[in-house]
Amino acid sequence: MSDNLLGKMLLVVDGSEPSIAAANYAVGLAAQTGGHVTAVYVVDTATMEYLSQMRIFVTEERNEFEQDLERTGHRYLDYVKTIGKNHGVDVEGVQLKGAFHQVILQRAREMAADVIVLGGWHQTVTRKDVSSKQRQLILDEADCPVIVVKRR
């Protein structure tokens, strides 16, 4: 860990309302503490590969969907950079591909993150989505503290 407990923050960005709340929270913390924010958007190619193997996607659809996600990711990362600029915080935007939780945890280790910041989520009995499970895996397997930001 660095001298500043919140020196290196890895922010998980997915464009959801909780993710935007987490972005505002992380940028606010960085502005107060002098920390650095690395915003990460993951194109979950592992899930897309699974859907292709299950023949839910044909190759052309998968490629088009992946390109759409990449464009969407760039927009979200640009938005978070704008939030940072408005608060005088330099935000690094990174788009990665792979299995969502694995890519996030690998990046956190590579950058020696002091904290991972995630938007909150709900998992109910009727809706056990992949996204919730991936976020739970980040909580379970992270080597550093994880801040879960609930909507305000």
Side-chain angles (χ1 to χ4, degrees), residues 44-63:
D44 191 349
T45 55
T47 298
M48 286 189 280
E49 183 60 32
Y50 173 76
L51 294 173
S52 294
Q53 290 173 359
M54 298 304 293
R55 299 176 194 245
I56 293 170
F57 272 154
V58 294
T59 303
E60 294 80 23
E61 289 175 321
R62 180 189 186 275
N63 292 341

Side-chain angles (χ1 to χ4, degrees), residues 4-7 9 13 23 29 38 41 46 49 68 70 72 82 89 97 100-101 119 122 143-144 146:
N4 179 350
L5 293 176
L6 301 174
M9 291 182 253
V13 176
L29 280 176
T38 298
Y41 179 91
E49 183 60 32
D68 285 345
E70 289 172 7
T72 299
T82 299
V89 174
K97 293 182 180 184
F100 183 83
H101 82 282
H122 295 283
D143 296 330
C144 63
V146 178

